[in-house]
Amino acid sequence: MAQQPVFDQNGEQRVDEEFIDDTTDAEQRESAHRERGTSRPITVVGNPVLHKECKDVTEFGAELAQLIDDMFASQRTAEGVGLAANQIGVDLKVFIYDCPDDNGVRHVGAVCNPVLDELPAPRRVLDDSNEGCLSVPGAYAELARPDYAVVRGQDAQGNPIAVQGTGYFARCLQHETDHLYGYLYIDRLSKRDRKDALKQMAEQEPRYPVVANG
């Protein structure tokens, strides 16, 4: 794994910290993954695979590469910005993303075995924007999350990587990492807001293929 980040006395991350470049050729890389992949239906809240911690990725070969391709294809079908493996029924710690940050810069990549950094207090500026989830189709709710995130893990070849995000992209990194540890965003809501989100979901048909529970 990559070394832990170094912060200065103001809580700012030092500029010598290395992160992957997930913006160069973003469109071409996403398109290549998607064209090699096969879209799969999305699992929804209530499916057991969404409510437990996933297994670590230990094999970094052709099967993992194909899974990542399928995840990009599935994400495009569902018009999402991030997707965890358990959202297509696969019990493995891997997520993919195709997400803009708050400056409109497009980030595309995949992370295996992700772990979020604990941020120092000065960097924990909360953003209470709306959040949604492909596994809770049609529902949205305000949820406070830090507007900056660092996630560490491995790439599809098993190499250690670190990804940083701000704004909307930071929310995506936190949301997808949560998925792989068995948490949906609605699990972080109050009981009232969670009930409201599930009501929103029940009142409309998903716009993409889903796996029926039960």
Side-chain angles (χ1 to χ4, degrees), residues 89-106:
V90 178
D91 183 12
L92 281 177
K93 282 182 182 164
V94 54
F95 74 77
I96 59 105
Y97 57 88
D98 178 5
C99 185
D101 60 27
D102 280 4
N103 293 319
V105 177
R106 185 177 181 179

Side-chain angles (χ1 to χ4, degrees), residues 57-86:
V57 176
T58 58
E59 298 291 332
F60 297 87
E63 288 188 15
L64 176 63
Q66 186 61 59
L67 171 62
I68 289 172
D69 290 342
D70 289 355
M71 290 171 69
F72 273 102
S74 304
Q75 175 175 259
R76 175 56 69 94
T77 297
E79 300 179 355
V81 297
L83 189 73
N86 53 355

Side-chain angles (χ1 to χ4, degrees), residues 4 23 48 62-63 98 107 127 130 185 189:
Q4 288 297 306
T23 62
E63 288 188 15
D98 178 5
H107 298 259
D127 169 22
N130 262 10
Y185 85 98
L189 301 175

Side-chain angles (χ1 to χ4, degrees), residues 83 128 140 165:
L83 189 73
D128 60 357
Y140 298 90

Side-chain angles (χ1 to χ4, degrees), residues 27-212:
E27 182 176 357
Q28 294 90 331
R29 289 186 290 108
E30 186 277 336
S31 178
H33 281 299
R34 176 165 43 87
E35 290 174 3
R36 292 190 299 261
T38 300
S39 182
R40 307 191 200 180
I42 304 296
T43 55
V44 296
V45 57
N47 189 305
V49 74
L50 293 175
H51 303 281
K52 64 174 184 175
E53 181 175 344
C54 293
K55 297 175 182 176
D56 289 345
V57 176
T58 58
E59 298 291 332
F60 297 87
E63 288 188 15
L64 176 63
Q66 186 61 59
L67 171 62
I68 289 172
D69 290 342
D70 289 355
M71 290 171 69
F72 273 102
S74 304
Q75 175 175 259
R76 175 56 69 94
T77 297
E79 300 179 355
V81 297
L83 189 73
N86 53 355
Q87 290 185 273
I88 56 169
V90 178
D91 183 12
L92 281 177
K93 282 182 182 164
V94 54
F95 74 77
I96 59 105
Y97 57 88
D98 178 5
C99 185
D101 60 27
D102 280 4
N103 293 319
V105 177
R106 185 177 181 179
H107 298 259
V108 171
V111 183
C112 302
N113 304 322
V115 177
L116 284 165
D117 275 4
E118 288 288 338
L119 299 177
R123 290 312 305 260
R124 287 187 57 81
V125 179
L126 296 181
D127 169 22
D128 60 357
S129 296
N130 262 10
E131 190 161 329
C133 179
L134 297 179
S135 292
V136 193
Y140 298 90
E142 290 185 356
L143 177 62
R145 290 191 191 266
D147 68 354
Y148 174 72
V150 174
V151 66
R152 299 175 188 280
Q154 294 163 281
D155 64 15
Q157 291 75 45
N159 302 307
I161 57 172
V163 183
Q164 66 174 340
T166 59
Y168 187 51
F169 183 39
R171 181 175 295 273
C172 175
L173 294 175
Q174 294 168 83
H175 179 110
E176 300 308 329
T177 301
D178 268 358
H179 267 303
L180 300 177
Y181 290 88
Y183 295 100
L184 299 173
Y185 85 98
I186 59 173
D187 296 327
R188 297 191 178 277
L189 301 175
S190 68
K191 289 183 178 180
R192 178 179 179 178
D193 288 346
R194 187 180 193 278
K195 183 177 180 180
D196 180 67
L198 292 173
K199 181 181 178 183
Q200 291 179 52
M201 173 181 163
E203 289 176 344
Q204 53 193 302
E205 290 294 322
R207 66 179 188 275
Y208 43 82
V210 300
V211 177

